[in-house]
Amino acid sequence: MDFYDLVGCMTLGIVDAEKAREKYHASQITPKRYIYRPQSFSEYIGQSNAKELIKINLEKIRTTKFVHFIISGSKGTGKSTLAYIIANELGLKIETYVAGSFSMENLTTFMNNNQKSKKPTILFVDEIHGLEKSLGEFMYPLLEDFLWAIESVKVKPFIFIGATTDKNILQKRLSPMIDRCQSINLEHYTSDDIKRILKQYNEKIYQLNVQEDVYDTLAANSRYTPRIALSLFDDYIIVKDVKKVLQAHQIVKDSLTTNDIEILKHLIEINKPIGAEVLSIIVQQTRQDFQTLIEPFLIQDGYISRTARGRLATDKAKALIQEIMP
């Protein structure tokens, strides 16, 4: 049913207007693409140190003993993707949970499913630093000796993978869990890494002719984060205009958003250390979101420094603000 069929039917009273409208709009939603996730180490661009350490431990799993993993890194850097690549490399099923909603019931169900499975299963828990402390402590003997603590019963071996955006919190709350796992720390991506990721993504999904300067611009404004870069690229495919994409995301220059600029301006004007709580209020974010989503890039790229008394704007920040706001 196209638009004219819809209008005709409504005019003649043949169909209910609301139902016809819903059917028409639903028929227009026809996405032709899917989300691409690298399936192997060869497709997973960057993070050479992390990949090499994982490969060593996968060989250990195949020949010697079971190994658990804690993968730490910023949001959107490929932690979950690595977990699924580990599952692919080992040919094992993976069950995925988020720590905030992971319960003893979930753990028991996983153990029962693993018991019935012919092969070991992988338990993947994202944002593991948010795991309930008592549940995390209960899991210590499970990870160490595959021992169900309450009844001192051996359980079928499995592989545990935890992912975290804040390893410091995990260290403070559940440090013995880290001790029982192989730590995989994701490093910052380079602009060249992001360009290669975008080109591979285009090849796998769109197969379109994209100019080199488009890749350069998107990579330079992605905070060197794959997830952000891919989202920007999807937007570019729709509008075919890089400037419009950056404007829509309020990106001013070199990944810096209007929020980032407000933070830098305030730090420069005050010219003394300021705490995260104050800066988060300025940009109307929670302190946690500020420290997770905004601050890491500003520190990484040298725009602010963090001291015991608070945050300070660097000379690089002052030069940038002078450049864009003379």
Side-chain angles (χ1 to χ4, degrees):
M1 176 184 291
D2 62 20
F3 178 74
Y4 297 102
D5 292 332
L6 170 65
V7 173
C9 289
M10 289 173 62
T11 302
L12 296 173
I14 296 174
V15 296
D16 177 83
E18 190 61 34
K19 290 182 179 178
R21 188 178 298 107
E22 290 176 0
K23 183 176 180 180
Y24 169 71
H25 286 303
S27 70
Q28 308 310 301
I29 302 174
T30 55
K32 297 179 175 61
R33 308 296 177 181
Y34 57 91
I35 296 173
Y36 170 69
R37 186 190 291 272
Q39 300 297 305
S40 64
F41 287 119
S42 61
E43 292 182 349
Y44 189 95
I45 295 169
Q47 305 298 341
S48 57
N49 292 331
K51 290 191 292 187
E52 190 59 35
L53 185 54
I54 290 174
K55 289 177 182 178
I56 291 172
N57 280 277
L58 293 186
E59 192 59 28
K60 191 187 298 182
I61 291 171
R62 295 185 185 102
T63 61
T64 308
K65 60 181 290 187
F66 281 79
V67 178
H68 307 299
F69 300 89
I70 295 290
I71 305 174
S72 62
S74 303
K75 287 181 179 292
T77 52
K79 299 181 297 297
S80 297
T81 296
L82 271 179
Y84 281 90
I85 288 176
I86 290 171
N88 289 342
E89 291 289 328
L90 294 173
L92 301 180
K93 179 183 176 183
I94 183 170
E95 292 191 16
T96 302
Y97 300 88
V98 177
S101 58
F102 186 63
S103 64
M104 178 63 79
E105 182 179 356
N106 296 138
L107 179 61
T108 303
T109 300
F110 170 82
M111 289 302 166
N112 289 334
N113 292 340
N114 183 57
Q115 191 70 30
K116 298 173 185 176
S117 175
K118 292 182 180 180
K119 295 182 179 181
T121 309
I122 295 176
L123 171 61
F124 174 48
V125 182
D126 201 4
E127 301 297 340
I128 191 65
H129 56 272
L131 188 67
E132 183 182 340
K133 195 170 190 296
S134 61
L135 181 54
E137 292 171 345
F138 179 85
M139 291 176 64
Y140 295 162
L142 271 174
L143 300 180
E144 181 79 16
D145 300 309
F146 301 112
L147 187 66
W148 193 260
I150 296 176
E151 301 173 353
S152 297
V153 174
K154 285 280 186 178
V155 299
K156 182 177 177 179
F158 63 98
I159 295 171
F160 169 75
I161 303 176
T164 179
T165 55
D166 200 326
K167 194 174 180 181
N168 289 331
I169 291 180
L170 181 62
Q171 182 70 51
K172 291 175 182 177
R173 297 185 66 246
L174 298 167
S175 60
M177 178 173 286
I178 297 178
D179 297 339
R180 288 160 171 77
C181 300
Q182 173 64 65
S183 289
I184 306 296
N185 303 314
L186 300 189
E187 301 168 345
H188 299 303
Y189 286 85
T190 66
S191 182
D192 286 341
D193 288 335
I194 299 299
K195 281 180 64 176
R196 289 173 58 206
I197 289 170
L198 289 175
K199 288 182 176 181
Q200 177 177 267
Y201 182 65
N202 183 33
E203 179 184 336
K204 296 287 186 180
I205 302 296
Y206 296 107
Q207 298 95 40
L208 295 176
N209 182 25
V210 176
Q211 297 298 315
E212 195 73 15
D213 64 324
V214 172
Y215 289 120
D216 288 332
T217 301
L218 294 180
N221 288 281
S222 66
R223 292 182 179 252
Y224 310 115
T225 303
R227 184 184 295 160
I228 294 175
L230 297 179
S231 177
L232 293 175
F233 189 81
D234 286 336
D235 291 350
Y236 169 77
I237 294 301
I238 298 299
V239 302
K240 300 296 190 299
D241 187 324
V242 174
K243 289 184 179 180
K244 284 186 178 180
V245 172
L246 299 185
Q247 288 170 358
H249 289 271
Q250 297 183 310
I251 298 173
V252 180
K253 180 181 174 63
D254 296 339
S255 295
L256 294 168
T257 65
T258 52
N259 275 349
D260 299 323
I261 299 300
E262 286 300 313
I263 289 169
L264 298 182
K265 284 170 55 183
H266 190 78
L267 286 171
I268 292 168
E269 289 170 4
I270 299 299
N271 196 30
K272 64 180 181 180
I274 299 177
E277 190 70 38
V278 174
L279 295 176
S280 66
I281 293 172
I282 290 171
V283 292
Q284 299 181 2
Q285 300 280 336
T286 66
R287 177 171 180 163
Q288 182 179 358
D289 283 347
F290 169 77
Q291 292 184 292
T292 303
L293 303 176
I294 298 176
E295 185 177 60
F297 172 74
L298 296 177
I299 293 175
Q300 170 197 334
D301 235 39
Y303 291 106
I304 67 174
S305 60
R306 186 166 55 187
T307 70
R309 294 188 299 156
R311 281 70 174 164
L312 287 167
T314 64
D315 290 340
K316 181 178 180 179
K318 295 172 183 177
L320 175 106
I321 294 300
Q322 188 173 9
E323 175 190 343
I324 64 176
M325 304 185 70

